[in-house]
Amino acid sequence: MAQERKERFLTSKLVNKIIQSNDDLQDYRIVSDRDCTLTTPQGLDGFMSVIHRLKLKLTHKSDGTSKCLTVMVKVMKGDDDFRKKSLGLVLFPNEINVYSAVIPAFIQLVREAGASLDLGTLSPRIYLAEAGVRYPTYSDQEETFLVMEDVSGAGFVPGPRLNLDQPHLMLMARKIAQFHACSYALRIGGQREMLDRLVQRIIPLNFLQDGKVFFESYDIVFKVVFERLFRFFDEKPELLADVSVRERVDALRLKYGTNPSELMQRCLERDELYSVILHGDYNRNNVLFCYENEVPQDVMLIDFQENRYGSPALDLSFFMYMNMPPEAWANGGWEQLLTVYHRELIRCLCDILQLQPDDEPLQPYRFDALQQHLKKHFIYGAIIAIKFLPCMLANEQEVQEIVHHFHKDVTADAFRQIYLIAGGETVNERISQVMTHAAQQGYLNMLEE
């Protein structure tokens, strides 16, 4: 009954709201129930949301012509207790804010500057975005509805599951540079008040708040994956044969081994020079690629639920540690991707602000200066990556068990047990490589500060 109730709402009242909320649709209507089809594609939902596909046949009120519209409808999962523990009532409104306020402001910035930068494929078109609403005909809970364009029709589809090759990586590096550049352009270009207003709309998503763990589900998984990581290092001491690497990993274990959320909160420190509005969860799972002859040509950002304001390192580090396979880190590959990001960042700033790369306002964002800033925060992405890798590299049965326990009771020992073994040695090797590389790159040096 509850599911039928929701489906009736989605195919009736929600459809009417979509039509009423868009100027180019207001002269159209749904003639019959057959003109509205709701499906729930497998594989699109996540830990916290369900995504439906809504196909509409719209008929013009005056001339009777029709057109078809396909949209994706994203709604929250779970009861009130689950949404509270998983911070759904923070994550979903923040995502709504990015689509309804941040991206439109960035598009306006670029348009008014007369820049050549095209943000048309930065994200899908949004038809309806509502947060904190109650519809008794849908449920008895406070809900969030996000209705966006189904961009699969334009050729945007998910890419490889985890590891990306160079063309995919370079596209993602350039696209996030474009997104970050808009924050810098507002600050440098004399529109700091606009940036401040956008930032003030973001609900803080802290790991610690008022001296207590705030992001409980993340804290639990951090602790389990740290337990797994350090246990593997104990079993394989040869992995820490490099004295400097061993000392840094030991320092991480001693200082934050049992309280990883404290380290993650440190990474959220804001900087008046370098902080930007972030995607917050930037990895392959949250982008769509457009291909031509099987070669990626463009990438689109989706899923801004963990949007924050902070160091660009938070987006870059997670993306790189999550989606660059370890073999791609060698022979200058790591530095090359950072260079791709930086070149696009400066290109966009010069385009929007009509500056030259060596002009004074851009001096703080030289590659060497920016790199020094990034080093202080790059441990963030290493830890977020090892948090997710057990799930990403696990087999289907293990993933199902992880999801089951995550929803049922993430605090139970059953969740801890499956997360300690999911993916086996493949996961153990990958997470140890991530942390070893972070130590080698100097990303753990901030522990001494």
Side-chain angles (χ1 to χ4, degrees):
M1 287 295 293
Q3 185 60 30
E4 292 178 4
R5 171 188 180 188
K6 291 183 176 181
E7 291 179 0
R8 282 197 301 270
F9 174 87
L10 295 174
T11 56
S12 56
K13 187 166 183 176
L14 184 70
V15 172
N16 290 331
K17 288 188 69 65
I18 294 170
I19 293 173
Q20 294 165 8
S21 300
N22 294 272
D23 291 341
D24 58 339
L25 301 181
Q26 289 181 4
D27 290 332
Y28 289 84
R29 64 190 179 95
I30 294 291
V31 175
S32 71
D33 292 344
R34 294 191 302 274
D35 294 338
C36 181
T37 305
L38 181 73
T39 57
T40 307
Q42 296 297 311
L44 289 185
D45 63 337
F47 282 125
M48 299 172 59
S49 63
V50 177
I51 301 178
H52 305 285
R53 177 177 283 118
L54 194 56
K55 292 185 177 181
L56 306 175
K57 179 183 177 183
L58 301 174
T59 302
H60 197 277
K61 296 177 183 177
S62 300
D63 59 25
T65 58
S66 63
K67 67 177 180 179
C68 294
L69 175 67
T70 304
V71 297
M72 310 305 291
V73 182
K74 184 175 183 178
V75 295
M76 281 190 281
K77 277 183 179 179
D79 58 22
D80 287 340
D81 183 59
F82 172 75
R83 293 178 181 183
K84 181 178 179 180
K85 287 182 178 179
S86 61
L87 298 184
L89 299 181
V90 173
L91 300 174
F92 282 81
N94 274 348
E95 180 174 33
I96 293 291
N97 177 58
V98 173
Y99 284 120
S100 61
V102 174
I103 291 177
F106 287 176
I107 292 173
Q108 181 181 351
L109 165 73
V110 171
R111 182 172 59 246
E112 291 180 349
S116 62
L117 177 61
D118 183 5
L119 298 183
T121 59
L122 183 62
S123 69
R125 173 181 171 178
I126 301 301
Y127 287 90
L128 181 70
E130 293 186 318
V133 294
R134 289 185 179 272
Y135 291 109
T137 53
Y138 180 80
S139 76
D140 300 322
Q141 298 173 267
E142 188 176 281
E143 302 288 354
T144 296
F145 294 97
L146 180 63
V147 181
M148 67 183 75
E149 173 189 9
D150 178 4
V151 293
S152 63
F156 285 89
V157 295
R161 174 169 166 78
L162 180 62
N163 295 331
L164 301 181
D165 61 17
Q166 188 178 40
H168 287 88
L169 292 167
M170 292 176 67
L171 275 175
M172 284 190 67
R174 291 192 186 104
K175 186 68 78 165
I176 200 62
Q178 294 171 10
F179 187 66
H180 292 168
C182 292
S183 291
Y184 288 139
L186 286 172
R187 179 183 293 125
I188 299 169
Q191 299 189 56
R192 181 56 188 262
E193 289 185 1
M194 170 62 77
L195 179 60
D196 289 344
R197 286 197 296 272
L198 293 174
V199 172
Q200 288 168 6
R201 293 172 62 104
I202 301 171
I203 305 171
L205 182 58
N206 293 315
F207 295 100
L208 299 177
Q209 192 161 299
D210 300 325
K212 299 178 180 179
V213 171
F214 183 63
F215 211 154
E216 183 180 5
S217 60
Y218 266 48
D219 184 71
I220 290 168
V221 185
F222 286 148
K223 289 177 179 176
V224 175
V225 82
F226 265 28
E227 179 183 352
R228 180 172 184 167
L229 173 69
F230 295 129
R231 179 185 296 179
F232 187 65
F233 278 138
D234 288 342
E235 294 171 354
K236 304 278 187 177
E238 64 273 16
L239 296 176
L240 299 178
D242 184 311
V243 175
S244 64
V245 171
R246 184 176 69 247
E247 288 177 347
R248 286 168 173 78
V249 171
D250 287 346
L252 173 66
R253 185 177 194 170
L254 178 64
K255 195 165 185 179
Y256 295 110
T258 58
N259 54 348
S261 289
E262 288 190 13
L263 174 57
M264 302 307 284
Q265 187 62 35
R266 278 188 63 183
C267 293
L268 300 187
E269 292 176 356
R270 295 180 176 184
D271 184 292
E272 289 303 308
L273 191 60
Y274 292 109
S275 289
V276 296
I277 295 177
L278 299 162
H279 178 284
D281 193 11
Y282 195 59
N283 76 102
R284 202 295 300 161
N285 282 9
N286 295 327
V287 300
L288 300 170
F289 292 97
C290 185
Y291 294 87
E292 183 177 325
N293 298 323
E294 300 184 354
V295 178
Q297 302 295 320
D298 199 0
V299 62
M300 182 177 288
L301 313 187
I302 56 174
D303 291 348
F304 291 85
Q305 289 184 359
E306 295 194 28
N307 160 250
R308 291 182 172 94
Y309 179 69
S311 170
L314 273 60
D315 279 341
L316 277 172
S317 60
F318 178 39
F319 151 59
M320 292 174 70
Y321 274 122
M322 192 70 176
N323 297 135
M324 282 186 81
E327 59 268 21
W329 304 343
N331 301 318
W334 189 262
E335 292 73 18
Q336 180 186 15
L337 194 59
L338 286 173
T339 301
V340 168
Y341 166 85
H342 179 258
R343 286 176 178 169
E344 183 67 6
L345 180 74
I346 297 300
R347 185 192 74 82
C348 292
L349 287 174
C350 290
D351 183 29
I352 298 170
L353 299 172
Q354 299 182 13
L355 294 172
Q356 295 299 314
D358 57 354
D359 284 348
E360 182 61 29
L362 298 185
Q363 289 309 296
Y365 307 103
R366 300 185 318 272
F367 185 72
D368 56 343
L370 182 62
Q371 194 172 33
Q372 287 303 309
H373 164 77
L374 296 177
K375 279 188 173 182
K376 298 177 182 179
H377 299 266
F378 243 64
I379 187 60
Y380 176 91
I383 295 174
I384 294 290
I386 67 171
K387 169 189 178 294
F388 282 109
L389 284 168
C391 191
M392 294 300 298
L393 292 170
N395 62 44
E396 185 176 348
Q397 182 178 348
E398 289 171 329
V399 171
Q400 290 176 353
E401 190 171 348
I402 289 169
V403 173
H404 169 75
H405 291 301
F406 185 88
H407 281 286
K408 184 178 180 181
D409 185 3
V410 71
T411 65
D413 192 57
F415 176 84
R416 171 179 167 272
Q417 293 296 337
I418 183 60
Y419 223 73
L420 284 173
I421 62 172
E425 287 298 289
T426 299
V427 168
N428 291 337
E429 291 171 4
R430 182 72 171 259
I431 64 176
S432 66
Q433 288 173 317
V434 167
M435 199 53 63
T436 301
H437 181 266
Q440 293 169 339
Q441 292 293 311
Y443 301 152
L444 293 178
N445 293 356
M446 49 87 74
L447 299 177
E448 302 170 2
E449 298 177 1

